[in-house]
Every structure is written in structure tokens, then in C-alpha cells.
């Protein structure tokens, strides 16, 4: 096993994206993958390399000659063996820190979801997806499904609730920032020293001067008033083109605005879950409850805890370090105040005082201003009602693709095979006639579904139907590699809780240069 130092070096680039907490979440994760096709292998490759904790591949298929040509994680010597076992063995060679397991049984028969972080269903029949999707939805386990038919593919995700734990205060400086700004006497500085004053200080001085000259409050500024402050900044500059004064002018739009809690954060603070505290409440909602109290408190005064982060800016080293220290101290004070609110919440929930770790509190406070809550639609409801995204699919021009994927599922349930796959015992000469018949039936099913979903005069392009039938639902490696990257990216978002996952359906048509991420 690698040491922490070794891991820091190995995972250096990704640690910059999701930090230690995100990497720890990834290493704790237990992912179940239904299917062992090329698409499953490519998805897992992109999870094994960054260090997913454990993955389980469920499939009873055997390695075929066709697999050897399209799946890089099976070998010619594996033909006739369990495909799940083969890809697990070869994937684990890429990262010895990752534990892989093969369960040789039909994906439809898999039932053990204990301690599972996320489920990925690759090239599984709609019937299997619906059944497992309902169980995952009930257990609030995220589920991602992916299918690939030749040059066409789709990715769907479903999670009942997903939370994301992802401001210079110029107009209302806190006490320490005010004292720091007041320590600068710009009129006493020569041009060299002026060129190294942090732009935050320049903005505070300019806003103060504007308020003193106009007798107005620094609230609800109009565009014209911001332009007046901008003109003052330019007058204060020792010469045109001074970088720090240019930075101040550029920052006026964002920094000289009233403090506003984002709509995304407000939706979380006003959600009923943010007013709940019991043993079943997730850590996120315990923290959200504490944040609600923090914002409403006299200390919080309607503002989020400060992250402590400030942008890079033109300044001498000492001035920048001092400014950075002031903001970090403010962040620590805010975190301590929120921690006090959290203690009350945890106490009400009859949980241990350290139930929420210090690392979670730190991450939450740093990203409080960017919190997001995502609730997707349930996959198992698609068979019962029109897709919730149907109008969006139509507007994006990929409704026919979606309908054909669902129609292929209906075809499979009826015939026990996908369109374009020869019937058992059929001769080579019968294939063309069968493909023509399959195309007619697949198209008819798709049109029937589209009509039921509200489309008038529904039509499906012959070229799309032909691609579904021609491919026989075969996965092309280059297409599966792209789709596998998307699946892995969405998986990492859901596991680390640090980025916003796509809420909807992604349709990929590489033959027609189409990639549509349709949102709910």
C-alpha cells in the first residue's frame, strides 16, 4: 500500500480539484457496476486510476471473440471465461490501492445494496434499470445508466437528493479589514508605493470617499453610481495603466454590489430538511440547519461564513500576506461561530458532539456561498408516465434518439434480443431480411411511444433507426471510451459532493456530431 506522501504525489493534479476531503470520499466509495461490457470497462478505468475505494462488477457473460476486438480489458486468452472476472483482474493491475470484486450472476438478480455508494448500469435492459432504479431511489443511492448502440449513446442519472459543498466585503468591511484599510494613507505614498497597494484597499477608500462626497449610503448602487466610484479610482491612480488600480476598476461591478445570498443557497436554507435534526439527518442537513441559524444570528447578520480565500492581485508581498491573514482570521472566526450553532443542532438530534468531523465543517464553511441541492427525476417512473424531460428533449432535437433507446428496450422484452441481432439458428442469408423487419418494428414502437408522450405527427429518421439496427447494440470502443469518461466524471461529482452533476439526460451521436446535455 502507498503511504500518504506517495498518494499526494500520485494524485497531485486531482487533489487540486477536489482536495483531501474529496479524495478521502473517493477512497471510501463502494461502486457497483452492472454489466462488464466495453462501456463498463471504460467507465471503471476512469474510476480506478483516480483511486476509487472498491468496485464490484456484476455479470454472468463470458468473454467472446467480439469482446477481444472491442474491450481493451479482456485478452485473447480470456475467451470462454467470466467476463466480469477478466475485467476486474485487468483493471486492478492499473492501481494496486483499489479493491475489485466480480460477482458472476445475472445483473437482474443482484440484490445486495448494503454499503453501496453508487450504482452504474451499463447496457442493461430497461426492465432491469427500472427495478433496480426503484430500489436505489428508495435508499437514496445515486444511479447512473449508460447505453451504447454503435455511434449513438445515452447517459442518464437518478438520485433523489444530491448536495454540493462547493466575497471581499468591500462595501461593508468587517472590523479587522476596516482597520487594515485605514492603516493606509494614500496621500502620503509616492507613486512606487501606491503601485503596490492591494486593490481591495483602493476600493474601500474610493467607496468611502464617494459616500462622503454624495452623502449617500453604500447600498443599492446604480450603474451610474458605480461609474462614479470607478472615476474616483482612476483619479487616485498615480498614472494611467497602474495594474492595481486597473484591478480595482475591473472589480467594481462584483465588489461594489449589495451582499446577496444566492438563490441556490436560499433554497437550501428554506428547505424543510434544514429545520430537521434527528439521528437520521445527514451531516449536510445538520450543517445546513446550523448555517440557517448562523445567518439569522446577530453575528451572521444575513451573510455566509467567509471562505478565507482572496484572489491574486498586484501588491507587495508583505501587504498581500497581511491582507490574506486578515481574511483567513475572519474565516476562522466565522467557522467557530457556525460550529457553536452546529453544537446546538447536534445536541437536539441526540448525537455525539463530534458526529460531524472538523474536516466536514471546514469544507462546508469554505464553500457555504456555493452550496447547491440537486434532485433528479426517478428512472423507474419513465415506464409509467411521459418522461419529465420530454419537451426539453424535443427542443434539443434529440427526442428521436431517446425514443429509440426506449423502443429498443420494448423490443428486447418482446423478442429476447435487441434489434439487429440475429435470431438463434438464423442463416447469414436471412440477416438482411431480419434487419429490415427489425427496423420497421423498432420505428413503429418509437413512433407509438412518442405519440403517447404528446408528440403530434411523430416521425423517426430512417438513418437513426438504421444505425440502431445495423449496430445490433454493439459497443464501439472509441464511443464507449468517450461515454465512459462522462460516466466516471458524473460518478466522481456524486461521490465527492464538490461539483454539480448533470441533472437530466445526455445524448451522444458521434455519426452526426451531436452531444446534447438535456437538463431537467
Amino acid at each position: 500500500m502507498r503511504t500518504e506522501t506517495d498518494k499526494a504525489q500520485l494524485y497531485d493534479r486531482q487533489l487540486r480539484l477536489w482536495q483531501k476531503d474529496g479524495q478521502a470520499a473517493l477512497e471510501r466509495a463502494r461502486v457497483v457496476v452492472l454489466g462488464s461490457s466495453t462501456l463498463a470497462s471504460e467507465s471503471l478505468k476512469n474510476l480506478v486510476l483516480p483511486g476509487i475505494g472498491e468496485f464490484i462488477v456484476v455479470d454472468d457473460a463470458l468473454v467472446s471473440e467480439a469482446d477481444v476486438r472491442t474491450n481493451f480489458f479482456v485478452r485473447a486468452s480470456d475467451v470462454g471465461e467470466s467476463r466480469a472476472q477478466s475485467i476486474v483482474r485487468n483493471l486492478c493491475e492499473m492501481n494496486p490501492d483499489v479493491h475489485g470484486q466480480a460477482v458472476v450472476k445475472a445483473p437482474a438478480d443482484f440484490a445486495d445494496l448494503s454499503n453501496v455508494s453508487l450504482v452504474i448500469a451499463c447496457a442493461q435492459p430497461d426492465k432491469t434499470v427500472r427495478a433496480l432504479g426503484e430500489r436505489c431511489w428508495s435508499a437514496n443511492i445515486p444511479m447512473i445508466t449508460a447505453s451504447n448502440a454503435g455511434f449513438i449513446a445515452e447517459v442518464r442519472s437518478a438520485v433523489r437528493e444530491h448536495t454540493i459543498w462547493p466575497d471581499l466585503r468591500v462595501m461593508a468591511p468587517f472590523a479587522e479589514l476596516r482597520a487594515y484599510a485605514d492603516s493606509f494613507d494614500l496621500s502620503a505614498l509616492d507613486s512606487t508605493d501606491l503601485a503596490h497597494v492591494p486593490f481591495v484597499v483602493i476600493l474601500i477608500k474610493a467607496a468611502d470617499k464617494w459616500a462622503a462626497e454624495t452623502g449617500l449610503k453604500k447600498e443599492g448602487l446604480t450603474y451610474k453610481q458605480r461609474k462614479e466610484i470607478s472615476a474616483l479610482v482612476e483619479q487616485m491612480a498615480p498614472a494611467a495603466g497602474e495594474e492595481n488600480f486597473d484591478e480595482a476598476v475591473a472589480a467594481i461591478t462584483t465588489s461594489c454590489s449589495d451582499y446577496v445570498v444566492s438563490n441556490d443557497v436560499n433554497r437550501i436554507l428554506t428547505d424543510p430538511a434544514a429545520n430537521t435534526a434527528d439521528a437520521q439527518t445527514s451531516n449536510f442537513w445538520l450543517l445546513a440547519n446550523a448555517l440557517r441559524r448562523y445567518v439569522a444570528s446577530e453575528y451572521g447578520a444575513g451573510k455566509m461564513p467567509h471562505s478565507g480565500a482572496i484572489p491574486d492581485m498586484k501588491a507587495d508581498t508583505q501587504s498581500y500576506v497581511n491582507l490574506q491573514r486578515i481574511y483567513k482570521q475572519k474565516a476562522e472566526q466565522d467557522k467557530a461561530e457556525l460550529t457553536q450553532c452546529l453544537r446546538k443542532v447536534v445536541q437536539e438530534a441526540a448525537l455525539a458532539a463530534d458526529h460531524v468531523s472538523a474536516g466536514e465543517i471546514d469544507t462546508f464553511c469554505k464553500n457555504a456561498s456555493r452550496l447547491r441541492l440537486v434532485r433528479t427525476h426517478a428512472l423507474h417512473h419513465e415506464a409509467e408516465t411521459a418522461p419529465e424531460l420530454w419537451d426539453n428533449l424535443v427542443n434539443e432535437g434529440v427526442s428521436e434518439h431517446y425514443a429509440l433507446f426506449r423502443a429498443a428496450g420494448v423490443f428486447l422484452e418482446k423478442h429476447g434480443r435487441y434489434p439487429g441481432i440475429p435470431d438463434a439458428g438464423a442463416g447469414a442469408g436471412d440477416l438482411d431480411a431480419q434487419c429490415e423487419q427489425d427496423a420497421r418494428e423498432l420505428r413503429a414502437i418509437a413512433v407509438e411511444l412518442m405519440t403517447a408522450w404528446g408528440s403530434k405527427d411523430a416521425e423517426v429518421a430512417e438513418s437513426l433507426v438504421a444505425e440502431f439496427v445495423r449496430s445490433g447494440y454493439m459497443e464501439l470502443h472509441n464511443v464507449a471510451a468517450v461515454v465512459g469518461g462522462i460516466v466516471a466524471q458524473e460518478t466522481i461529482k456524486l461521490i465527492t459532493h464538490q461539483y454539480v452533476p448533470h441533472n437530466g439526460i445526455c445524448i451522444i451521436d458521434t455519426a452526426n456530431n451531436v452531444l446534447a446535455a438535456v437538463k431537467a
Side-chain angles (χ1 to χ4, degrees):
M1 293 291 289
R2 295 185 176 94
T3 64
E4 290 302 314
T5 301
D6 292 337
K7 286 184 179 180
Q9 293 176 343
L10 178 66
Y11 300 135
D12 174 61
R13 289 183 180 274
Q14 66 201 49
L15 282 168
R16 301 181 194 187
L17 291 175
W18 50 72
Q19 309 301 320
K20 289 184 178 179
D21 288 337
Q23 185 64 30
L26 202 62
E27 292 176 9
R28 289 194 304 267
R30 188 169 187 253
V31 175
V32 170
V33 179
L34 304 182
S36 57
S37 63
T38 305
L39 186 52
S41 298
E42 291 298 322
S43 299
L44 279 169
K45 174 195 72 178
N46 294 303
L47 294 174
V48 169
L49 287 173
I52 194 81
E54 180 183 3
F55 68 93
I56 301 167
V57 179
V58 183
D59 203 358
D60 59 353
L62 302 179
V63 177
S64 66
E65 294 287 352
D67 291 324
V68 176
R69 293 192 293 271
T70 61
N71 193 331
F72 287 177
F73 293 92
V74 298
R75 300 166 180 163
S77 57
D78 295 332
V79 172
E81 296 183 6
S82 162
R83 193 168 66 188
Q85 292 177 339
S86 296
I87 72 166
V88 167
R89 180 173 61 250
N90 294 321
L91 281 165
C92 285
E93 290 180 0
M94 301 178 70
N95 192 338
D97 293 332
V98 175
H99 177 65
Q101 177 185 350
V103 176
V104 183
K105 65 163 54 177
D109 297 333
F110 183 76
D112 184 12
L113 292 178
S114 57
N115 300 317
V116 171
S117 307
L118 182 140
V119 173
I120 302 173
C122 290
Q124 293 303 305
D126 279 357
K127 185 177 180 180
T128 301
V129 169
R130 289 195 300 269
L132 189 60
E134 186 170 4
R135 292 176 54 217
C136 288
W137 186 267
S138 298
N140 198 25
I141 296 173
M143 182 174 180
I144 297 175
T145 73
S147 298
N148 176 202
F151 290 109
I152 303 171
E154 71 164 358
V155 178
R156 296 182 288 165
S157 60
V159 55
R160 193 167 62 190
E161 180 178 283
H162 177 71
T163 50
I164 299 95
W165 298 17
D167 69 301
L168 292 170
R169 313 256 170 122
V170 166
M171 302 306 281
F174 47 93
E176 294 81 0
L177 180 58
R178 164 57 67 190
Y180 178 73
D182 289 346
S183 70
F184 286 81
D185 182 0
L186 300 189
S187 62
L189 300 179
D190 60 28
S191 58
T192 301
D193 291 334
L194 273 175
H196 291 91
V197 175
F199 80 78
V200 174
V201 173
I202 296 171
L203 279 180
I204 291 174
K205 295 285 190 182
D208 288 347
K209 185 177 181 181
W210 175 86
E213 291 179 353
T214 62
L216 299 174
K217 292 183 177 181
K218 295 180 286 184
E219 298 175 359
L221 300 187
T222 63
Y223 173 78
K224 180 176 179 294
Q225 290 168 333
R226 290 196 193 97
K227 291 294 288 182
E228 291 170 356
I229 295 176
S230 178
L232 287 175
V233 171
E234 291 172 350
Q235 292 170 17
M236 293 161 62
E242 288 292 351
E243 188 176 348
N244 56 334
F245 284 85
D246 288 345
E247 288 175 341
V249 170
I252 283 175
T253 300
T254 54
S255 297
C256 294
S257 300
D258 292 347
Y259 186 93
V260 176
V261 176
S262 73
N263 290 335
D264 288 320
V265 174
N266 266 324
R267 276 194 288 270
I268 291 172
L269 297 182
T270 56
D271 193 288
N275 202 24
T276 303
D278 56 40
Q280 283 70 49
T281 305
S282 70
N283 285 7
F284 175 87
W285 286 114
L286 292 173
L287 285 161
N289 192 327
L291 180 62
R292 178 181 59 80
R293 301 181 188 204
Y294 172 95
V295 172
S297 70
E298 184 178 352
Y299 177 91
K303 295 181 174 66
M304 295 290 107
H306 201 283
S307 67
I310 61 173
D312 191 17
M313 62 187 74
K314 176 69 181 299
D316 64 85
T317 302
Q318 191 58 50
S319 295
Y320 186 79
V321 169
N322 289 340
L323 186 64
Q324 197 173 45
R325 184 181 68 252
I326 288 169
Y327 278 102
K328 285 185 176 180
Q329 287 174 346
K330 171 63 173 170
E332 288 299 319
Q333 292 169 4
D334 291 357
K335 182 172 69 174
E337 191 68 25
L338 184 134
T339 301
Q340 291 298 323
C341 295
L342 178 63
R343 284 176 182 166
K344 296 177 182 177
V345 174
V346 170
Q347 188 176 17
E348 292 171 12
L351 296 167
D354 60 352
H355 181 77
V356 181
S357 70
E360 287 178 288
I361 297 171
D362 188 61
T363 300
F364 186 89
C365 287
K366 286 179 179 177
N367 298 286
S369 297
R370 303 195 302 274
L371 295 174
R372 292 282 297 275
L373 172 64
V374 177
R375 288 178 173 131
T376 70
H377 63 288
L379 296 179
H380 58 280
H381 288 162
E382 289 184 358
E384 304 161 9
T385 59
E388 296 178 28
L389 306 177
W390 181 246
D391 289 342
N392 293 347
L393 289 163
V394 172
N395 293 336
E396 291 288 340
V398 291
S399 57
E400 296 174 32
H401 297 76
Y402 176 82
L404 282 170
F405 273 111
R406 304 288 74 75
V410 174
F411 188 102
L412 174 65
E413 291 184 21
K414 181 178 179 181
H415 297 284
R417 62 176 178 83
Y418 282 111
I421 296 178
D423 280 317
D430 301 328
L431 184 58
D432 288 344
Q434 180 188 301
C435 285
E436 290 180 7
Q437 181 179 337
D438 287 356
R440 286 193 296 271
E441 183 174 352
L442 181 66
R443 187 179 187 186
I445 295 171
V447 168
E448 183 179 352
L449 288 173
M450 293 170 72
T451 302
W453 294 335
S455 291
K456 297 179 179 179
D457 304 320
E459 285 292 335
V460 182
E462 290 185 9
S463 59
L464 286 179
V465 177
E467 175 58 21
F468 267 79
V469 175
R470 181 202 65 79
S471 69
Y473 247 66
M474 178 177 288
E475 297 176 359
L476 302 179
H477 178 265
N478 52 352
V479 179
V482 171
V483 179
I486 294 173
V487 170
Q489 176 177 276
E490 293 303 299
T491 298
I492 290 171
K493 291 177 185 178
L494 290 164
I495 288 173
T496 62
H497 287 264
Q498 291 189 18
Y499 294 90
V500 182
H502 177 61
N503 180 12
I505 300 169
C506 182
I507 299 289
I508 302 103
D509 182 349
T510 56
N512 295 296
N513 215 19
V514 171
L515 195 160
V518 183
K519 294 183 179 180

